[in-house]
Amino acid sequence: ARVEYFLILLIGMALGASLHSMNGSISGSLNTGTAKGVVTSVQETPVRNTVHIDEQGRPITKYQLLEPFVIPNLVGFSVATFLPGQVMMPPHKHETMHELFYVIQGDGMFQINGEDYEISPGSFLHIAPNEEHGIWVPKDNTMPLRMVVTGVAIGDKIVKKPASSEK
């Protein structure tokens, strides 16, 4: 039950920050995003590759439960999977995004601004804009690392949903 409450809190934080940012930065009519919500599950969602490829050429995979920017400023909501031995390094950063991670299965390592952190189920990470971060799973781990991932875009460089996918 503790995990479910934390996930609800995580979703609420991301949505609240997104809506607050949206209300403060839009003049004229309010862009509230999609007119219809979604009910889905990981079991109903196809796995897809992310843009992150490890040193062995294997992509990090995810279940994209909510597409990026369906809700203005919210960069989606997904469950990402890192296999044992997968490395997403060197560290990278996002200029205009707060990124949120919650570990639901497995163990791994996170590097934030040069400092290493061991992560395991129940670990929560908030990566602020411009914080360099990378992730890896030790080769000798027996199970994958699975994390809930979301984020909120901020500032003048907010990426909008592409015009070709708008209806």
Side-chain angles (χ1 to χ4, degrees), residues 75 94-99 126-130 133 150-154:
V75 296
H94 309 283
E95 288 183 25
T96 60
M97 180 171 59
H98 287 271
E99 200 166 16
H126 167 224
I127 310 299
N130 291 310
H133 57 285
T150 190
V152 177
I154 60 163

Side-chain angles (χ1 to χ4, degrees), residues 83-86 137-143:
L83 299 174
Q86 279 196 303
V137 180
K139 292 178 185 176
D140 59 349
N141 279 21
T142 58
M143 67 174 24

Side-chain angles (χ1 to χ4, degrees), residues 65-84:
L65 299 169
L66 185 65
E67 292 295 330
F69 304 105
V70 167
I71 299 170
N73 301 2
L74 188 70
V75 296
F77 191 90
S78 64
V79 176
T81 301
F82 291 74
L83 299 174

Side-chain angles (χ1 to χ4, degrees), residues 25-100:
S25 64
I26 298 174
S27 59
S29 66
L30 182 63
N31 178 6
T32 60
T34 184
K36 185 167 173 38
V38 65
V39 176
T40 191
S41 70
V42 169
Q43 293 80 12
E44 297 173 353
T45 305
V47 68
R48 65 170 84 158
N49 296 339
T50 69
V51 297
H52 301 292
I53 307 295
D54 73 5
E55 297 168 336
Q56 299 172 34
R58 301 177 299 173
I60 308 303
T61 60
K62 67 180 174 181
Y63 296 96
Q64 189 73 46
L65 299 169
L66 185 65
E67 292 295 330
F69 304 105
V70 167
I71 299 170
N73 301 2
L74 188 70
V75 296
F77 191 90
S78 64
V79 176
T81 301
F82 291 74
L83 299 174
Q86 279 196 303
V87 176
M88 191 176 74
M89 295 291 274
H92 66 283
K93 64 182 177 178
H94 309 283
E95 288 183 25
T96 60
M97 180 171 59
H98 287 271
E99 200 166 16
L100 308 168

